[in-house]
């Protein structure tokens, strides 16, 4: 599949542009956060989450690069599953980094480590470092939330779980900013534990995102039935396609699996028809989405 389906070319191009914008803005956020991080555990967790925000965008672009490649001798079916592999990489990175941050923040809470957020001199004026941290956090929220909302409708059109997970993480970024801000204000008011508690909240959110995404990605890679883009439930269009194929080939057994953004169907127990219907004829919904039905095979 060296050329992506024509109906989604424009959406793919828009997604690519948004991911490059994500990398640019996320990089500026990571740098800004690093400058004001100090000894705050909440800021550290927020900085790590912002850094991890680069991973889905990067793996999406890498997966798309391989998806466009033609089949080779060693990969005769092409690279349609590159998207699934990229999804698993992004999910695994989230899950394990979130687990480490829970351990890190939890251990500091147990040991009662008191973070220090002191003043800093700017142009001869003493300014509490916490205000700079909060300003950086506000900045870290605005671009991701806007770009995340722009990605969601495109992700649904492309049935791209990497892009969709990325958009969810970015849309929910305000929660990270709020938790970290409350932690910093808590330290300012003398509640030393607020910083570690905020870091734990952020870390648990990271683990939740990673665990949910890894479940769906694993199902794809072990030939699971196509899942909905926003849950682990079977996709409705996959169920509808299965019914159409069962009606078209009543003596056969129909199985449908997910392969990246595409579906592959296999009908077993019958002789392959001489003139099988086209995928547009078999597709149960909008014919503009028939590109999703990438492969139909028969086996005795």
């Amino acid at each position: 599949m060296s050329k992506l389906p024509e109906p989604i070319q424009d959406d793919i191009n828009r997604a690519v542009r948004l991911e490059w914008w994500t990398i640019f803005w996320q990089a500026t956020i990571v740098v800004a956060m690093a400058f004001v991080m100090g000894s705050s555990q909440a800021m550290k967790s927020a900085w790590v989450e912002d850094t991890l925000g680069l991973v889905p965008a990067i793996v999406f672009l890498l997966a798309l690069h391989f998806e466009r490649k033609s089949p080779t001798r060693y990969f005769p079916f092409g690279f349609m599953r590159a998207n699934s592999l990229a999804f698993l990489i992004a999910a695994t990175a989230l899950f394990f980094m979130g687990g480490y941050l829970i351990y890190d923040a939890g251990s500091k809470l147990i040991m009662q480590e008191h973070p220090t957020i002191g003043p800093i001199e700017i142009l001869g004026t003493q300014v509490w470092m916490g205000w700079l941290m909060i300003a950086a956090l506000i900045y870290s929220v605005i671009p991701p939330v806007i770009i995340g909302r722009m990605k969601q409708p495109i992700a649904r059109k492309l049935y791209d779980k990497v892009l969709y997970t990325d958009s969810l993480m970015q849309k929910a970024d305000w929660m990270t900013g709020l938790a970290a801000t409350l932690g910093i204000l808590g330290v300012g008011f003398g509640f030393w534990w607020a910083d570690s508690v905020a870091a734990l909240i952020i870390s648990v959110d990271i683990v939740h995102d990673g665990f949910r995404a890894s479940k769906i990605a694993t199902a794809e890679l072990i030939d699971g039935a196509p899942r909905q883009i926003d849950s682990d439930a079977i996709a409705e269009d996959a169920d509808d396609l299965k019914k159409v194929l069962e009606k078209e080939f009543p003596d056969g057994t129909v199985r449908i699996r997910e392969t990246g953004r595409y579906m592959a169907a296999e009908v077993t127990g019958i002789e392959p028809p001489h003139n099988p219907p086209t995928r547009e004829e078999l597709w149960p919904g909008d014919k503009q989405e028939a590109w999703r039905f990438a492969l139909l095979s028969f086996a005795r």
Side-chain angles (χ1 to χ4, degrees):
M1 183 162 296
S2 56
K3 186 178 180 182
L4 292 167
E6 190 65 36
I8 61 172
Q9 286 285 356
D10 289 342
D11 290 314
I12 286 285
N13 293 334
R14 288 179 62 200
V16 168
R17 287 194 296 271
L18 286 174
E19 291 297 39
W20 279 115
W21 274 112
T22 296
I23 291 172
F24 169 76
W25 286 109
Q26 208 70 24
T28 65
I29 289 167
V30 169
V31 171
M33 295 282 283
F35 272 116
V36 299
M37 187 163 50
S39 62
S40 168
Q41 193 66 27
M43 286 295 291
K44 178 182 176 182
S45 296
W47 177 80
V48 169
E49 185 171 41
D50 288 327
T51 304
L52 285 173
L54 291 165
V55 175
I58 292 170
V59 296
F60 172 84
L61 294 172
L62 286 173
L64 190 60
H65 169 74
F66 282 101
E67 190 179 336
R68 285 170 165 156
K69 285 182 172 289
S70 300
T72 67
R73 178 185 174 190
Y74 291 100
F75 297 94
F77 289 95
F79 299 88
M80 288 189 294
R81 283 191 175 181
N83 186 269
S84 301
L85 180 60
F87 188 41
L88 183 60
I89 291 170
T92 303
L94 282 173
F95 182 79
F96 283 103
M97 184 55 72
Y100 166 75
L101 290 173
I102 288 175
Y103 163 78
D104 196 34
S107 61
K108 285 179 171 55
L109 189 62
I110 292 170
M111 292 186 290
Q112 300 185 16
E113 288 191 12
H114 290 50
T116 56
I117 304 177
I120 186 174
E121 187 172 317
I122 300 177
L123 301 176
T125 303
Q126 294 286 321
V127 178
W128 182 50
M129 190 69 176
W131 296 125
L132 298 181
M133 292 178 176
I134 291 171
L137 285 167
I138 293 172
Y139 172 66
S140 75
V141 167
I142 296 172
V145 168
I146 294 172
I147 296 175
R149 289 185 179 277
M150 293 172 68
K151 287 178 184 177
Q152 280 209 319
I154 302 173
R156 289 183 181 277
K157 287 182 182 178
L158 298 176
Y159 292 89
D160 194 299
K161 294 186 176 69
V162 178
L163 191 64
Y164 187 76
T165 300
D166 189 16
S167 71
L168 286 182
M169 287 172 57
Q170 291 189 299
K171 270 188 67 180
D173 205 51
W174 67 270
M175 290 188 291
T176 298
L178 177 62
T181 298
L182 291 176
I184 292 164
L185 289 175
V187 173
F189 283 106
F191 302 110
W192 63 268
W193 45 264
D195 188 61
S196 293
V197 169
L200 277 173
I201 293 171
I202 296 169
S203 304
V204 169
D205 184 56
I206 295 173
V207 169
H208 173 263
D209 286 341
F211 179 71
R212 175 185 166 278
S214 62
K215 280 174 57 181
I216 302 172
T218 302
E220 287 186 27
L221 289 171
I222 58 174
D223 288 340
R227 302 300 204 265
Q228 293 182 19
I229 195 169
D230 54 359
S231 78
D232 196 36
I234 304 297
E236 292 181 7
D237 51 4
D239 273 338
D240 292 340
L241 177 60
K242 189 170 186 289
K243 291 174 184 176
V244 170
L245 290 172
E246 287 173 340
K247 183 177 180 180
E248 184 73 26
F249 309 106
D251 296 327
T253 300
V254 177
R255 295 184 295 180
I256 300 177
R257 60 180 170 84
E258 194 158 38
T259 175
R261 71 179 85 253
Y262 308 96
M263 295 184 196
E266 182 182 74
V267 183
T268 58
I270 63 171
E271 288 288 344
H274 294 294
N275 294 302
T278 65
R279 64 184 181 186
E280 285 78 13
E281 291 172 336
L282 292 170
W283 186 253
D286 185 352
K287 301 308 178 184
Q288 286 294 310
E289 295 183 358
W291 60 266
R292 279 254 288 159
F293 187 15
L295 181 67
L296 174 63
S297 57
F298 298 87
R300 288 290 297 166

